Amino acid sequence: MENRGEATPGEPESATTYTSSSATAVAGSPDGRSRLYPSRSTLIGTTSVCLFALVWQGLASSGVIPAVVLPGPLDLVARAIYLAGPSSNPPFQLEGDILLTLSRLLGGFAVAALFAVPVGIVSAVSRPIALVLMPFVGVFMAIPALAIVPILMLLTGIGNATDFTVVVVTAFIPIVVYVYDGVRMIDRKYLWTSRSFGARSGDVFWHVIVPAAIVPLLAGFRMGMGYAWRSLIATESLTALTGGLGYTIFQASQFFDTRTIYLYMVVTAVLGFAIESAFRAAEIRTAVRWGTLASGKR
């Protein structure tokens, strides 16, 4: 498959294209056996991260940039050990903030997926419903998540309710779009053929529509989770009252605690990358299983 280009801001990338390097790293070698060694892309990525960390540490140690402005990676490791231990205030603060943010993310995402999937399917199979709903989806897609935070604060107050709602809204739109496009792209001849052999509507749905839409659905989950993750971290800094990654970043900024700010930024990036990678792996494996991505081109 050809490499995918960069998606424009606010526009989901194609649900049916995959990078060959990612597919090779996740799905295995072209002969179908699992890879027992890192792929070239993994080695290059790991090397670049290590070089970046070395340059970062060199700048921090040289004194060219004051340590209060740019603490080094070793300072962040020491800070992480302290915040992850019983001596921090509150005890085990780092673990608590991570779990609290993830609980908000997963709870809101589950609700978004529960409603977005049927909305996308119904809109795709019913033109009148699509004419009514899809314009609203397009409008909300263009609105940044932070723009609706003040309104949500007025409606739900400051706290978990606002954080939860932001996750639902930001994850809902991409999932609807990807499911809608996935179902709409099904070749009509498959539907006609199945019906000509006497397949009932339920059979067509489970054996034709679902297999064809499952890969775009997973792509929508991946994009929706990414949007929701970024929006949640930003929203926590404004509305959270009881902790979370974004909340602690904002609190640390009030005391110019740059070590905690940088540490939580790194944690946010690592967790976001891990979540995205997990969804991408599931997406590629599913594409191979359903024949959307040929095994020889992984």
Side-chain angles (χ1 to χ4, degrees):
M1 303 291 288
E2 295 181 354
N3 286 348
R4 177 180 56 230
E6 293 295 328
T8 58
E11 178 184 359
E13 59 192 56
S14 173
T16 58
T17 56
Y18 307 91
T19 57
S20 58
S21 60
S22 298
T24 301
V26 176
S29 58
D31 61 2
R33 294 173 297 179
S34 300
R35 300 185 69 99
L36 300 179
Y37 54 89
S39 65
R40 173 185 289 184
S41 61
T42 301
L43 291 175
I44 294 175
T46 303
T47 302
S48 63
V49 170
C50 292
L51 289 175
F52 176 79
L54 288 174
V55 173
W56 179 4
Q57 183 62 48
L59 285 174
S61 302
S62 66
V64 175
I65 302 177
V68 70
V69 176
L70 184 67
L74 296 180
D75 296 324
L76 303 190
V77 172
R79 187 62 174 166
I81 293 174
Y82 170 75
L83 292 177
S87 300
S88 61
N89 184 24
F92 307 105
Q93 178 181 352
L94 180 59
E95 297 94 321
D97 286 335
I98 291 174
L99 292 176
L100 189 55
T101 296
L102 288 178
S103 66
R104 292 166 177 159
L105 176 73
L106 296 177
F109 184 82
V111 172
L114 181 64
F115 288 96
V117 172
V119 168
I121 294 176
V122 171
S123 299
V125 299
S126 174
R127 181 171 176 77
I129 294 179
L131 292 175
V132 173
L133 294 182
M134 295 312 292
F136 290 97
V137 172
V139 168
F140 278 102
M141 184 183 295
I143 301 176
L146 289 181
I148 65 174
V149 170
I151 298 176
L152 293 178
M153 291 171 63
L154 292 175
L155 295 175
T156 63
I158 297 176
N160 287 329
T162 299
D163 300 331
F164 179 85
T165 307
V166 166
V167 172
V168 173
V169 173
T170 53
F172 179 85
I173 300 300
I175 297 174
V176 170
V177 171
Y178 272 76
V179 173
Y180 174 82
D181 288 342
V183 175
R184 292 282 294 175
M185 286 187 297
I186 297 176
D187 195 330
R188 297 298 175 183
K189 68 182 181 183
Y190 297 127
L191 301 178
W192 297 334
T193 301
S194 60
R195 290 194 178 105
S196 68
F197 279 94
R200 294 172 296 181
S201 297
D203 296 325
V204 172
F205 177 79
W206 287 111
H207 297 290
V208 179
I209 295 178
V210 169
I214 189 68
V215 175
L217 171 63
L218 290 175
F221 281 177
R222 176 167 59 87
M223 297 302 296
M225 182 67 81
Y227 290 147
W229 177 253
R230 293 189 294 271
S231 301
L232 174 61
I233 298 301
T235 304
E236 281 185 335
S237 67
L238 301 175
T239 65
L241 297 175
T242 57
L245 295 175
Y247 170 85
T248 301
I249 289 174
F250 179 78
Q251 293 300 315
S253 69
Q254 302 302 299
F255 301 97
F256 210 65
D257 183 2
T258 53
R259 291 192 302 166
T260 299
I261 295 173
Y262 277 93
L263 170 62
Y264 273 62
M265 288 173 59
V266 171
V267 170
T268 298
V270 171
L271 288 176
F273 178 77
I275 293 171
E276 198 273 345
S277 298
F279 274 97
R280 183 181 294 275
E283 182 183 341
I284 293 175
R285 290 184 183 278
T286 304
V288 173
R289 178 179 179 182
W290 290 104
T292 306
L293 183 66
S295 60
K297 296 183 179 181
R298 287 180 289 178

